[in-house]
Amino acid sequence: MATERTLSIIKPDATRRNLTGKINAKFEDAGLRIVAQKRVQLTKAQAGEFYRVHAERPFYDELCEFMSSGPVVVQVLEGEGAIAKNREVMGATNPADADPGTIRAEFADSVGENSVHGSDAPETASDEISYFFAGRDIVG
Ligand code: CMP
Protein backbone atom coordinates (compact mmCIF):
# COMPACT_ATOMS: atom_id res chain seq x y z
CA MET A 1 0.00 0.00 0.00
CA ALA A 2 1.21 3.48 -0.83
CA THR A 3 2.34 6.12 1.64
CA GLU A 4 -0.37 8.79 1.81
CA ARG A 5 -1.04 12.06 3.57
CA THR A 6 -4.39 13.10 4.99
CA LEU A 7 -5.79 16.10 6.81
CA SER A 8 -6.86 15.63 10.42
CA ILE A 9 -8.66 18.22 12.57
CA ILE A 10 -9.08 17.97 16.33
CA LYS A 11 -12.35 19.84 16.84
CA PRO A 12 -13.34 22.45 19.48
CA ASP A 13 -15.20 19.96 21.73
CA ALA A 14 -11.92 18.03 22.11
CA THR A 15 -9.52 20.99 22.49
CA ARG A 16 -11.91 22.42 25.11
CA ARG A 17 -11.59 19.19 27.14
CA ASN A 18 -7.77 19.11 26.76
CA LEU A 19 -7.84 15.88 24.72
CA THR A 20 -5.28 16.76 22.01
CA GLY A 21 -2.56 14.50 23.41
CA LYS A 22 -4.87 11.54 24.08
CA ILE A 23 -6.27 11.76 20.54
CA ASN A 24 -2.85 12.07 18.92
CA ALA A 25 -1.58 9.07 20.92
CA LYS A 26 -4.24 6.99 19.12
CA PHE A 27 -3.00 8.17 15.70
CA GLU A 28 0.65 7.55 16.60
CA ASP A 29 -0.09 4.15 18.13
CA ALA A 30 -1.72 3.19 14.81
CA GLY A 31 1.51 4.06 12.96
CA LEU A 32 0.46 7.45 11.61
CA ARG A 33 3.06 10.24 11.77
CA ILE A 34 2.12 13.88 12.43
CA VAL A 35 4.16 15.67 9.76
CA ALA A 36 2.58 19.15 10.09
CA GLN A 37 0.53 20.69 12.89
CA LYS A 38 -0.89 24.00 14.09
CA ARG A 39 -3.52 25.21 16.55
CA VAL A 40 -5.83 27.84 15.06
CA GLN A 41 -9.06 29.69 15.78
CA LEU A 42 -11.21 29.54 12.63
CA THR A 43 -13.69 32.26 11.78
CA LYS A 44 -17.18 31.11 10.83
CA ALA A 45 -16.43 32.15 7.24
CA GLN A 46 -13.24 30.03 7.15
CA ALA A 47 -15.13 27.03 8.57
CA GLY A 48 -17.82 27.61 5.92
CA GLU A 49 -15.23 27.65 3.15
CA PHE A 50 -13.56 24.48 4.42
CA TYR A 51 -16.92 22.63 4.64
CA ARG A 52 -18.40 24.17 1.46
CA VAL A 53 -19.32 20.70 0.07
CA HIS A 54 -21.90 20.52 2.88
CA ALA A 55 -23.38 23.98 2.16
CA GLU A 56 -26.79 22.59 1.21
CA ARG A 57 -27.05 20.23 4.20
CA PRO A 58 -29.44 21.16 7.02
CA PHE A 59 -26.64 21.01 9.62
CA TYR A 60 -24.25 23.35 7.71
CA ASP A 61 -24.85 26.47 9.79
CA GLU A 62 -24.58 24.52 13.07
CA LEU A 63 -21.39 22.85 11.80
CA CYS A 64 -19.74 26.19 10.90
CA GLU A 65 -20.84 27.74 14.20
CA PHE A 66 -19.39 24.82 16.14
CA MET A 67 -16.10 24.66 14.19
CA SER A 68 -15.50 28.35 14.97
CA SER A 69 -16.54 28.07 18.64
CA GLY A 70 -12.99 27.43 19.92
CA PRO A 71 -9.49 26.44 18.83
CA VAL A 72 -8.91 23.50 16.50
CA VAL A 73 -5.69 21.59 15.85
CA VAL A 74 -5.14 21.05 12.13
CA GLN A 75 -2.55 18.49 11.17
CA VAL A 76 -1.26 16.30 8.38
CA LEU A 77 -0.99 12.59 9.10
CA GLU A 78 1.31 10.44 6.98
CA GLY A 79 1.58 6.68 6.65
CA GLU A 80 0.68 3.63 4.60
CA GLY A 81 -2.95 3.95 3.58
CA ALA A 82 -3.19 7.00 5.86
CA ILE A 83 -6.61 8.15 4.58
CA ALA A 84 -8.38 4.88 5.44
CA LYS A 85 -6.30 4.29 8.57
CA ASN A 86 -7.18 7.72 9.95
CA ARG A 87 -10.88 7.03 9.36
CA GLU A 88 -10.56 3.65 11.05
CA VAL A 89 -8.91 5.18 14.14
CA MET A 90 -11.53 7.98 14.26
CA GLY A 91 -14.52 5.59 14.06
CA ALA A 92 -17.95 6.27 12.54
CA THR A 93 -19.16 9.88 12.16
CA ASN A 94 -21.90 9.29 14.71
CA PRO A 95 -20.23 8.20 17.97
CA ALA A 96 -23.24 5.97 18.70
CA ASP A 97 -22.15 3.82 15.73
CA ALA A 98 -18.38 3.97 16.36
CA ASP A 99 -16.47 0.78 17.21
CA PRO A 100 -15.09 0.45 20.75
CA GLY A 101 -11.58 1.87 21.12
CA THR A 102 -12.01 4.44 18.35
CA ILE A 103 -11.58 8.15 19.07
CA ARG A 104 -15.25 8.96 18.52
CA ALA A 105 -16.45 6.04 20.65
CA GLU A 106 -14.20 7.15 23.51
CA PHE A 107 -14.39 10.92 23.30
CA ALA A 108 -17.15 12.27 21.04
CA ASP A 109 -20.36 13.72 22.43
CA SER A 110 -22.64 13.68 19.37
CA VAL A 111 -22.67 13.49 15.55
CA GLY A 112 -22.14 17.26 15.42
CA GLU A 113 -19.52 17.49 18.17
CA ASN A 114 -17.55 14.43 17.14
CA SER A 115 -14.03 15.43 18.21
CA VAL A 116 -12.17 14.82 14.92
CA HIS A 117 -12.36 15.29 11.17
CA GLY A 118 -10.46 13.30 8.55
CA SER A 119 -10.31 13.56 4.75
CA ASP A 120 -12.39 10.92 2.97
CA ALA A 121 -10.48 10.38 -0.32
CA PRO A 122 -7.15 11.23 -2.02
CA GLU A 123 -8.53 14.29 -3.91
CA THR A 124 -10.18 15.75 -0.81
CA ALA A 125 -7.05 15.03 1.26
CA SER A 126 -4.93 17.03 -1.17
CA ASP A 127 -7.46 19.92 -1.28
CA GLU A 128 -7.92 19.98 2.49
CA ILE A 129 -4.17 19.86 3.23
CA SER A 130 -3.53 22.78 0.88
CA TYR A 131 -6.34 24.76 2.54
CA PHE A 132 -4.19 24.92 5.71
CA PHE A 133 -0.57 24.14 4.78
CA ALA A 134 2.03 25.11 2.18
CA GLY A 135 4.40 22.38 1.01
CA ARG A 136 7.27 23.84 3.08
CA ASP A 137 5.14 23.48 6.27
CA ILE A 138 5.08 19.67 5.93
CA VAL A 139 8.15 17.88 7.20
CA GLY A 140 8.03 14.10 6.94
P1 CMP B 1 -16.77 15.62 9.57
O1 CMP B 1 -16.03 14.36 9.32
O2 CMP B 1 -16.01 16.78 10.09
O3 CMP B 1 -17.50 16.06 8.21
C1 CMP B 1 -18.70 16.80 8.19
C2 CMP B 1 -19.29 16.97 9.54
O4 CMP B 1 -20.64 17.33 9.58
C3 CMP B 1 -19.24 15.66 10.28
O5 CMP B 1 -17.93 15.31 10.60
C4 CMP B 1 -20.14 15.94 11.45
O6 CMP B 1 -19.47 16.54 12.53
C5 CMP B 1 -21.11 16.94 10.86
N1 CMP B 1 -22.42 16.30 10.74
C6 CMP B 1 -22.74 15.24 9.98
N2 CMP B 1 -24.05 14.93 10.17
C7 CMP B 1 -24.53 15.83 11.05
C8 CMP B 1 -25.79 16.05 11.64
N3 CMP B 1 -26.83 15.24 11.34
N4 CMP B 1 -25.93 17.06 12.51
C9 CMP B 1 -24.87 17.87 12.80
N5 CMP B 1 -23.65 17.71 12.26
C10 CMP B 1 -23.48 16.70 11.41
Side-chain angles (χ1 to χ4, degrees):
M1 201 181 287
T3 298
E4 293 176 335
R5 286 176 174 171
T6 189
L7 187 82
S8 161
I9 304 180
I10 301 178
K11 297 187 178 186
D13 66 290
T15 61
R16 204 171 281 136
R17 289 176 289 149
N18 215 20
L19 293 171
T20 299
K22 285 196 173 116
I23 287 172
N24 278 336
K26 296 238 184 225
F27 292 134
E28 293 185 337
D29 288 348
L32 291 163
R33 301 180 69 82
I34 301 165
V35 295
Q37 187 181 57
K38 60 187 172 188
R39 183 175 174 102
V40 293
Q41 171 69 55
L42 297 178
T43 64
K44 193 173 174 184
Q46 287 169 329
E49 172 66 13
F50 179 78
Y51 278 117
R52 62 194 177 281
V53 296
H54 296 301
E56 302 306 320
R57 308 286 280 273
F59 55 81
Y60 180 64
D61 189 66
E62 185 188 325
L63 173 63
C64 299
E65 196 67 58
F66 166 62
M67 289 299 288
S68 56
S69 68
V72 296
V73 176
V74 293
Q75 50 195 15
V76 179
L77 305 179
E78 182 181 84
E80 280 202 13
I83 296 166
K85 189 175 281 185
N86 179 33
R87 295 175 69 76
E88 192 183 306
V89 176
M90 289 193 300
T93 304
N94 187 340
D97 302 327
D99 288 339
T102 61
I103 291 168
R104 285 166 170 159
E106 281 192 23
F107 303 123
D109 291 330
S110 65
V111 67
E113 305 206 359
N114 63 355
S115 300
V116 279
H117 166 81
S119 309
D120 62 3
E123 312 74 55
T124 41
S126 163
D127 282 356
E128 290 182 1
I129 289 170
S130 61
Y131 187 75
F132 288 109
F133 296 100
R136 65 177 175 277
D137 298 327
I138 305 170
V139 184

